[in-house]
Amino acid sequence: MICEKPKKQKKEALFLISFLFLISLISMKTLKKVDMKDIRISGSELFSQHDLVDNSSLKFPIRLIFVKTNLLEKELKENLSLKNVSVKRELFPFGLKVHINTRIPIAYGERILNNEKILGFIDKDGIFINKQNADEKNLNKLTIQVFGWKEKFKKILSEIFIALENYEFEIVKITFSPDGFLTLEEKDLRTIFLGYKPNLINYQLLIINNIKNEFQKNNFSIKIDNIDLTNPNKPKIKVFKP
């Protein structure tokens, strides 16, 4: 029993020394300066370390503990049109771990910014993806074009894309005028005017689907010029005159 006490004290002292050493090592690591070469990217091969630096307010070298991960995530998500991004400080291995989830384009897109036409893509949430930030896989399969994109049109675009998954019609073009007038182009029904009321979009899309089904069911051979659904309770169909 007499020998056990010194042994116990020895173990406690060793543990304390090890703990203090670990704390000291962690403190030294967090105060160490991180550089661009210490960024490790996962989830996508589309972006480089330079892309992350160029699209954020991060300035190197910077002490690891001073890296504002939340701000960095917000900047990268917005500037690179990302679905999601997470940034973590890591001590072993030392540096920043950045995991990226890119958006999947489902339509070609065009927007006007400072009187300049910008080409890109749109994802299922209605988010605009700049051309240089888009994954080029499967782009040749895109069949929809969106013109006149603005931030405020995201929700209505998302509603249209959801309808395309659930209904039978095939939209090939979506156009917003500078003042927000919405026009669709359907493969068989041609031009469809929807107007200025985004709150009516689901009702209007249902009517489009019903019209398309009715034409297919009855084998109508008339050629439609346009359909006016600005007042969905009173649809107007204009046909080509023979």
Side-chain angles (χ1 to χ4, degrees):
M1 293 291 292
I2 299 174
C3 307
E4 289 182 5
K5 193 172 182 182
K7 283 183 180 179
K8 186 179 179 183
Q9 289 175 340
K10 213 171 182 182
K11 284 183 180 179
E12 289 176 349
L14 186 60
F15 174 79
L16 182 60
I17 291 170
S18 300
F19 179 74
L20 291 173
F21 175 76
L22 183 60
I23 293 296
S24 176
L25 182 61
I26 290 173
S27 298
M28 288 173 60
K29 283 277 190 178
T30 56
L31 290 173
K32 184 181 175 182
K33 289 184 177 180
V34 64
D35 214 328
M36 186 165 61
K37 63 180 175 57
D38 300 312
I39 299 176
R40 295 183 304 283
I41 303 170
S42 63
S44 173
E45 298 179 357
L46 187 61
F47 302 103
S48 67
Q49 295 165 323
H50 284 283
D51 292 324
L52 302 192
V53 175
D54 293 342
N55 287 278
S56 72
S57 57
L58 201 58
K59 303 295 180 186
F60 289 111
I62 182 174
R63 298 192 189 282
L64 184 64
I65 197 171
F66 294 147
V67 176
K68 298 177 181 178
T69 55
N70 289 340
L71 174 62
L72 187 53
E73 288 171 352
K74 183 179 178 182
E75 290 176 333
L76 293 176
K77 186 175 181 180
E78 183 177 335
N79 295 336
L80 295 177
S81 309
L82 300 175
K83 181 77 174 177
N84 199 17
V85 57
S86 68
V87 179
K88 293 181 180 178
R89 305 186 199 95
E90 290 194 339
L91 299 179
F92 308 101
F94 178 79
L96 291 174
K97 183 178 180 181
V98 181
H99 185 77
I100 290 172
N101 289 328
T102 57
R103 294 186 178 277
I104 301 173
I106 64 169
Y108 293 101
E110 179 184 293
R111 65 184 297 194
I112 304 296
L113 187 63
N114 299 325
N115 295 320
E116 182 183 351
K117 191 180 292 184
I118 298 174
L119 300 178
F121 304 92
I122 312 292
D123 82 335
K124 67 177 183 178
D125 297 320
I127 303 294
F128 189 88
I129 308 168
N130 287 328
K131 196 172 182 179
Q132 67 272 21
N133 297 333
D135 193 335
E136 295 184 2
K137 295 176 184 175
N138 302 319
L139 291 184
N140 59 332
K141 296 180 181 179
L142 304 183
T143 58
I144 307 170
Q145 294 177 298
V146 178
F147 296 94
W149 182 94
K150 289 182 181 178
E151 189 82 18
K152 63 182 179 181
F153 300 143
K154 290 187 301 185
K155 188 175 185 302
I156 196 168
L157 281 169
S158 179
E159 297 288 353
I160 294 171
F161 295 143
I162 290 171
L164 286 172
E165 294 177 357
N166 299 319
Y167 291 155
E168 299 300 321
F169 55 76
E170 297 179 55
I171 301 297
V172 295
K173 188 188 294 185
I174 303 169
T175 304
F176 295 95
S177 69
D179 62 351
F181 189 96
L182 175 59
T183 304
L184 303 183
E185 190 84 21
E186 204 274 338
K187 184 179 178 182
D188 299 311
L189 302 179
R190 301 178 68 87
T191 304
I192 306 170
F193 302 117
L194 299 186
Y196 296 103
K197 298 179 180 178
N199 58 308
L200 296 177
I201 186 63
N202 287 311
Y203 184 33
Q204 291 169 321
L205 292 170
L206 176 61
I207 293 173
I208 294 171
N209 189 61
N210 290 341
I211 293 173
K212 181 72 180 271
N213 287 338
E214 209 48 45
F215 270 68
Q216 290 178 335
K217 182 180 176 182
N218 295 286
N219 294 316
F220 287 155
S221 59
I222 60 172
K223 290 187 178 181
I224 297 174
D225 182 16
N226 64 68
I227 299 173
D228 188 342
L229 293 179
T230 52
N231 181 352
N233 292 317
K234 295 180 180 179
K236 298 176 183 177
I237 300 178
K238 183 181 180 181
V239 299
F240 284 107
K241 293 181 180 179

